[in-house]
């Protein structure tokens, strides 16, 4: 048996990567990044990117979780090739491999009772050693002469001597002594496969050449390799995969990312934080992988540039501010109709609602000021507000003092306009300021509050045009002395 993974010497195979989530919860940031790296690596090499749902844990796997994963991946544009594979459906195949391994002396039926295992554990504890099961049935491998009618598990007859070195593409060379590994269970006493066995059989059958996953699985690689090697010895065609174990994502405080750092599930970024998928992709890509100083990296460039040597070894910290900055960039770059659709959905506008067209017209004025879809929706609120407008507490003082008189002059000047466009509106407003002997801001601010109820809004001349003549004049009139303002 070779001591190191043979990835360096094996003939080049067409790259096949996979993402293999367990559907026990939503698609989280770490999973999405793993999927993205697998996709980019495959696309970069003209290979294939597969999806496998690891639903063997029947108690914890749920339909809604599967849907959330598939939808999350589609939303992020992490398009996998072919149909997704469901691991549980392949249990017979996994068991068949275990039986092949028994036949050829690489695995054995172990009839140890719970009491015997407990005794072994007590002995290990007394000797202050970890429990590593080497069953007395180990030497019976290949034979079927166990006690009839007794339950048994199938264990790997793991190598006991020597060491295995994995040339991990991210972690570098990592060595584990075989003496540190035990004869792990491949099939439980009810005949169901364990996770360790299922992963290897599926990866082999799916032709996976590169296993790129979180570094919480690095230890598993040492337990999974003996299965490859046993099957390669038995029938050939089970080369070691190339491994790349990527560091997990941490929160700003340096601890592993978890719920207490805020949203971990992908859909919260879409639904609650108003993040665009291309922004999240770009952010996740940069989180743990770099290409010089480039921050904004489109998918095509990511495919062109992605390699495993650019993946950092230390965990990266999630930074919501950075994500929002990137998101602002992608919002400014995004198509107006698409953004209008997202905002309309957020505002519950029915399909066909004229508000949708209004939003699209307003989008060029709205998007420079927004870092997410929520801010776009919030910035668009003035378009749909009903008279008399609710005025923000902070904005109300701007309607006091001289404001009503200035608004009355603005009303007259604007009412006299022939053309209702930004240039004419600007000229009229400037003229009013000049005639009143005040700075432009002193008229523009009360005007803004009268039109939007707020201290901040898109450019005031854009607002006038977006609202239209009648609505603008009516909103201004609500605050002139004639109307009791
Ligand atoms: N199903 C495992 C998980 O969700 C991944 C297994 C693998 O990538 O090998 O963590």
């Amino acid at each position: 048996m070779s001591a190191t993974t043979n990835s360096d010497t094996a003939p080049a195979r067409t790259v096949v990567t996979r993402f293999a989530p367990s559907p026990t919860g939503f698609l989280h940031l770490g999973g999405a990044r793993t999927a993205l790296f697998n996709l980019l690596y495959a696309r970069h090499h003209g290979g294939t990117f597969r999806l496998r749902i690891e639903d063997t844990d029947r108690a914890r796997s749920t339909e809604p979780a599967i849907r959330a994963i598939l939808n999350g991946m589609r939303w992020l544009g992490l398009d996998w090739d072919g149909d997704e594979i469901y691991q549980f459906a392949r249990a017979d195949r996994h068991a068949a491999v275990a039986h092949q391994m028994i036949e050829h002396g690489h695995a054995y039926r172990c009839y140890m009772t719970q009491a015997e295992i407990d005794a072994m554990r007590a002995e290990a504890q007394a000797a202050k050693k970890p429990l590593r099961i080497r069953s007395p049935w180990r030497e019976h491998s290949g034979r079927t002469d166990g006690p009839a009618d007794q339950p048994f598990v199938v264990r790997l007859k793991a190598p006991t001597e020597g060491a295995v070195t994995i040339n991990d593409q991210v972690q570098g060379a990592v060595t584990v002594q075989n003496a540190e590994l035990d004869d792990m269970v491949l099939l439980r006493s009810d005949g169901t496969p364990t996770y360790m066995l299922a992963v290897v059989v599926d990866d082999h059958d799916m032709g996976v050449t590169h296993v790129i996953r979180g570094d919480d699985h690095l230890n598993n690689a040492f337990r999974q390799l003996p299965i490859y090697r046993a099957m390669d010895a038995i029938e050939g065609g089970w080369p070691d995969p190339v491994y790349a174990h990527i560091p997990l994502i941490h929160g700003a405080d340096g601890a592993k990312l978890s719920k207490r750092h805020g949203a971990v599930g992908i859909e919260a970024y879409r639904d609650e934080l108003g993040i665009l998928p291309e922004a999240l992709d770009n952010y996740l890509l940069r989180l743990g992988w770099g290409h010089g100083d480039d921050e904004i990296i489109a998918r095509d460039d990511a495919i062109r540039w992605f390699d495993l040597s650019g993946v950092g070894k230390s965990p990266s910290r999630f930074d919501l501010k950075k994500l929002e900055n990137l998101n602002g960039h992608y919002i400014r770059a995004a198509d107006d109709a698409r953004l209008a659709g997202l905002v309309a959905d957020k505002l519950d506008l029915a399909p066909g609602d004229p508000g949708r067209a209004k939003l699209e017209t307003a989008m060029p004025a709205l998007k420079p000021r927004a870092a997410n879809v929520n801010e776009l929706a919030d910035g668009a609120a003035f378009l749909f507000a009903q008279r008399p407008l609710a005025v923000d507490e902070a904005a109300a003082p701007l309607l006091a003092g001289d404001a009503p008189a200035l608004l009355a002059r603005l009303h007259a000047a604007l009412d006299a306009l022939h053309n209702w466009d930004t240039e004419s509106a600007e000229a009229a407003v400037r003229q009013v300021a000049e005639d009143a002997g005040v700075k432009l801001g002193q008229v523009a601010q009360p005007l803004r509050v009268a039109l939007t109820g707020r201290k901040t809004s898109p450019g005031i001349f854009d607002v006038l045009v977006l609202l239209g003549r009648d609505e603008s004049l009516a909103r201004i009139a609500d605050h002139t002395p004639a109307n009791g303002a």
Side-chain angles (χ1 to χ4, degrees), residues 18 20-22 54 195 199 213 217:
R18 56 33 167 211
S22 305
E54 302 210 315
Y195 159 76
V199 167
R213 60 188 174 189
H217 285 283

Side-chain angles (χ1 to χ4, degrees), residues 264-441:
V264 190
I266 290 305
E267 58 268 45
Y269 288 86
R270 178 189 61 200
D271 301 337
E272 288 158 36
L273 297 168
I275 301 293
L276 297 181
E278 60 270 39
L280 191 51
D281 272 343
N282 190 153
Y283 181 72
L284 289 175
L285 172 64
R286 285 287 295 106
L287 201 58
W289 178 83
H291 182 267
D293 290 335
D294 290 311
E295 288 295 341
I296 293 174
I297 304 175
R299 175 64 68 86
D300 284 351
D301 287 331
I303 290 173
R304 203 167 312 130
W305 296 334
F306 188 79
D307 55 10
L308 292 170
S309 59
V311 178
K313 250 188 182 186
S314 47
S316 23
R317 295 187 184 203
F318 187 79
D319 181 341
L320 185 59
K321 266 271 145 298
K322 265 195 184 161
L323 170 59
E324 292 215 305
N325 282 342
L326 262 182
N327 200 51
H329 165 84
Y330 281 102
I331 285 203
R332 290 187 289 284
D335 175 69
D336 292 336
R338 173 184 169 213
L339 292 176
L342 293 175
V343 173
D345 290 345
K346 202 136 262 194
L347 299 175
D348 281 331
L349 301 184
D353 187 305
R356 288 182 173 256
K358 225 193 235 187
L359 279 171
E360 189 175 336
T361 316
M363 212 40 78
L366 293 171
K367 63 187 190 180
R369 338 174 59 85
N372 57 56
V373 178
N374 297 333
E375 288 181 13
L376 277 181
D378 187 56
F382 77 90
L383 292 170
F384 305 103
Q386 296 296 318
R387 294 182 38 235
L389 256 55
V391 174
D392 277 0
E393 211 178 309
L398 294 168
L399 290 173
D402 293 348
L406 287 168
L407 285 169
R409 294 169 82 147
L410 278 169
H411 189 278
L414 291 167
D415 196 18
L417 287 180
H418 287 295
N419 298 325
W420 195 261
D421 52 41
T422 49
E423 293 77 24
S424 314
E426 178 165 0
V429 174
R430 283 187 185 281
Q431 192 61 53
V432 169
E434 201 180 313
D435 293 349
V438 297
K439 289 199 179 122
L440 179 64

Side-chain angles (χ1 to χ4, degrees), residues 174-225:
V174 189
T175 300
V176 165
Q177 301 298 320
N178 282 327
E180 286 173 28
L181 303 170
D182 67 355
D183 285 1
M184 65 176 174
V185 175
L186 301 175
L187 292 184
R188 300 185 190 91
S189 57
D190 63 0
T192 57
T194 57
Y195 159 76
M196 289 298 169
L197 174 66
V199 167
V200 173
V201 176
D202 288 347
D203 279 343
H204 167 266
D205 290 1
M206 290 163 73
V208 170
T209 57
H210 291 69
V211 172
I212 304 169
R213 60 188 174 189
D215 66 7
D216 50 338
H217 285 283
L218 179 60
N219 288 336
N220 290 342
F222 290 96
R223 317 191 81 207
Q224 292 166 355
L225 270 176

Side-chain angles (χ1 to χ4, degrees), residues 19 111 149 167-168 193 222 230 238 269 283 319 331 337 361 388 442 459 464 474 479:
F19 175 50
Y111 295 87
D149 302 331
N167 288 319
D168 192 277
F222 290 96
W238 289 66
Y269 288 86
Y283 181 72
D319 181 341
I331 285 203
T361 316
Q442 271 171 279
L464 283 164
H479 296 283

